[in-house]
């Protein structure tokens, strides 16, 4: 039996849901089901999603309610707007490690798209994480080595995950990633035997830079031969009004766009789109009632 179970973990709905569950999130779960064939998929949520794509997928996954993390709830942010925008992500940073420590398995952000099954050898490790490009420290301006926590493999009780979780409260400084990406790199330097680090191309063949996002979302590149998944870095471009990394936004990613536009992401995502339905279930219900009504009238 492998050290790491094929139990995939996802987190969503840590903020109140004001928009329907997006196609991107459906495609993440659908690609996981088809590509990885997991023993279990668990989605941890605080607020229940809603909408067409949620209805398509919700009964095919396990749903578990979670509460916000107390450390993050008590955290004081120097800038109110940063606390408002980042707090939900920091809750997720703690929850993913807690669940991996308890159950083991594979955690992935919900803006992941799975391309091919990871090799069996990764499931024989204690903990696996992928490298990303160096990240600027907003306090010092220096670029620091970083391990991205958007995909994590871990056995139950993994020593590296335990150390990471123990030290994370002290590293929570109000930035996006000091506790979540720079901290594991510092821990790796101290405990290299507790962690296997995969090159960035394994999980992040297109990086979070403007150039990487352009290659992923707007251009057409199929050089993902060594990748098991792609990460969309959605927090950098999801909102229409955010344009510092990309002018692309979530409103463009519709079924029609994915079916008809050839980009890196659309070509990878297209096989996992829902089967087109020309008529809704409600339409057929209405037709059935009308036919019954006509039949009853004929024999009255």
């Amino acid at each position: 039996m492998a050290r790491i179970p094929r139990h995939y973990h996802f987190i969503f709905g840590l903020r109140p849901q004001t928009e329907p569950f997006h196609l991107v999130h459906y495609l993440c779960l659908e690609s996981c089901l088809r590509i990885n064939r997991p023993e279990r998929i668990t989605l941890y949520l605080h607020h229940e999603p809603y909408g067409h794509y949620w209805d398509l997928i919700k009964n095919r996954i396990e749903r578990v309610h979670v509460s916000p993390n107390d450390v993050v709830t008590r955290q004081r942010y120097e800038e109110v707007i940063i606390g408002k925008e980042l707090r939900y992500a920091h809750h997720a940073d703690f929850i993913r490690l807690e669940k991996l420590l308890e159950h083991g398995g594979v955690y992935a952000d919900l803006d992941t798209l799975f391309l091919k099954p990871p090799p069996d050898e990764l499931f024989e490790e204690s903990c696996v994480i992928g490298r990303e490009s160096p990240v600027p420290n907003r306090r010092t301006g220096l670029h620091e080595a970083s391990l991205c926590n958007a995909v994590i493999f871990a056995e139950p009780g993994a020593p590296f995950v335990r150390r990471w979780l123990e030290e994370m409260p002290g590293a929570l400084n109000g930035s996006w990633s000091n506790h979540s990406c720079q901290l594991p790199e510092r821990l790796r330097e101290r405990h290299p035997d507790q962690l296997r680090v995969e090159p960035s191309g394994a999980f992040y063949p297109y990086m979070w830079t403007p150039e990487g996002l352009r290659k992923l979302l707007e251009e057409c590149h199929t050089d993902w031969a060594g990748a098991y998944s792609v990460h969309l870095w959605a927090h950098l471009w999801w909102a229409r009004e955010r344009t510092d990394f990309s002018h692309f936004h979530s409103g463009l990613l519709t079924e029609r766009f994915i079916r008809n536009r050839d980009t890196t992401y659309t070509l990878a995502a297209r096989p996992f789109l829902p089967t087109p339905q020309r008529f809704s279930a409600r339409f057929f219900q209405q037709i059935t009632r009308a036919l019954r009504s006509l039949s009853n009238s004929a024999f009255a």
Side-chain angles (χ1 to χ4, degrees):
M1 181 179 295
R3 296 174 70 178
I4 298 176
R6 296 176 190 270
H7 180 183
Y8 281 74
H9 305 264
F10 300 91
I11 301 171
F12 190 73
L14 298 182
R15 296 186 288 187
Q17 297 302 289
T18 59
E19 297 181 353
F21 195 68
H22 199 279
L23 174 61
V24 162
H25 304 136
Y26 166 87
L27 291 170
C28 171
L29 296 173
E30 181 68 31
S31 65
C32 184
L33 285 165
R34 292 203 218 168
I35 295 295
N36 299 320
R37 299 189 180 279
E39 296 165 0
R40 292 172 65 187
I41 285 187
T42 303
L43 178 65
Y44 302 96
L45 49 87
H46 187 64
H47 298 279
E48 182 86 7
Y50 68 94
H52 171 64
Y53 294 113
W54 178 242
D55 291 340
L56 288 179
I57 201 75
K58 66 181 181 182
N59 293 327
R60 301 167 61 201
I61 61 175
E62 176 184 40
R63 291 167 278 163
V64 174
H65 182 272
V66 292
S67 297
N69 179 271
D70 290 341
V71 173
V72 179
T73 299
R74 295 192 302 267
Q75 173 72 16
R76 290 191 176 185
Y77 292 84
E78 295 177 3
E79 301 175 46
V80 175
I81 187 64
I82 290 179
K84 182 180 179 181
E85 292 299 320
L86 298 190
R87 198 179 296 271
Y88 81 95
H90 293 171
H91 283 300
D93 292 334
F94 279 83
I95 293 169
R96 72 190 67 183
L97 296 188
E98 293 167 353
K99 298 306 180 183
L100 286 175
L101 192 64
E102 179 181 2
H103 302 288
V106 183
Y107 168 82
D109 281 357
L110 211 59
D111 59 343
T112 301
L113 187 77
F114 296 93
L115 304 175
K116 66 179 181 181
D120 291 343
E121 65 187 67
L122 293 189
F123 292 90
E124 298 299 335
E125 301 286 342
S126 175
C127 187
V128 181
I129 196 168
R131 187 165 294 286
E132 64 174 326
S133 295
V135 174
N137 184 312
R138 72 183 184 92
R139 297 179 184 274
T140 66
L142 300 176
H143 282 68
E144 299 180 356
S146 185
L147 299 176
C148 184
N149 72 339
V151 176
I152 308 169
F153 291 63
E155 66 176 336
F160 188 87
V161 173
R162 188 180 301 279
R163 291 180 183 276
W164 186 359
L165 190 57
E166 289 172 350
E167 296 194 22
M168 201 150 66
L172 188 66
N173 64 359
S175 68
W176 175 266
S177 60
N178 182 64
H179 63 285
S180 59
C181 298
Q182 278 82 62
L183 175 58
E185 170 62 19
R186 296 193 291 269
L187 289 173
R188 181 201 63 79
E189 293 175 355
R190 287 156 44 193
H191 308 283
D193 58 320
Q194 295 181 355
L195 179 70
R196 171 170 170 168
V197 177
E198 288 293 288
S200 59
F203 308 122
Y204 316 112
Y206 308 98
M207 204 46 70
W208 47 263
T209 61
E211 178 186 7
L213 293 176
R214 186 171 61 253
K215 286 182 175 181
L216 176 60
L217 300 171
E218 301 178 63
E219 299 175 356
C220 191
H221 300 266
T222 56
D223 51 346
W224 61 59
Y228 311 120
S229 60
V230 293
H231 183 54
L232 299 190
W233 318 100
H235 66 285
L236 297 175
W237 54 267
W238 193 260
R240 185 187 299 264
E241 59 270 18
R242 180 162 189 181
T243 59
D244 52 332
F245 278 81
S246 175
H247 287 276
F248 202 86
H249 59 84
S250 61
L252 299 174
L253 281 174
T254 63
E255 285 193 48
R256 175 175 293 183
F257 181 89
I258 293 176
R259 292 186 195 282
N260 298 315
R261 285 285 299 273
D262 287 348
T263 69
T264 306
Y265 177 72
T266 62
L267 288 177
R270 197 172 292 163
F272 308 109
L273 286 171
T275 302
Q277 295 181 340
R278 297 182 61 188
F279 302 105
S280 67
R282 184 179 179 185
F283 172 82
F284 284 109
Q285 291 171 357
Q286 291 171 339
I287 291 296
T288 300
R289 284 197 295 268
L291 291 173
R292 286 174 180 169
S293 177
L294 287 173
S295 178
N296 292 336
S297 298
F299 290 98

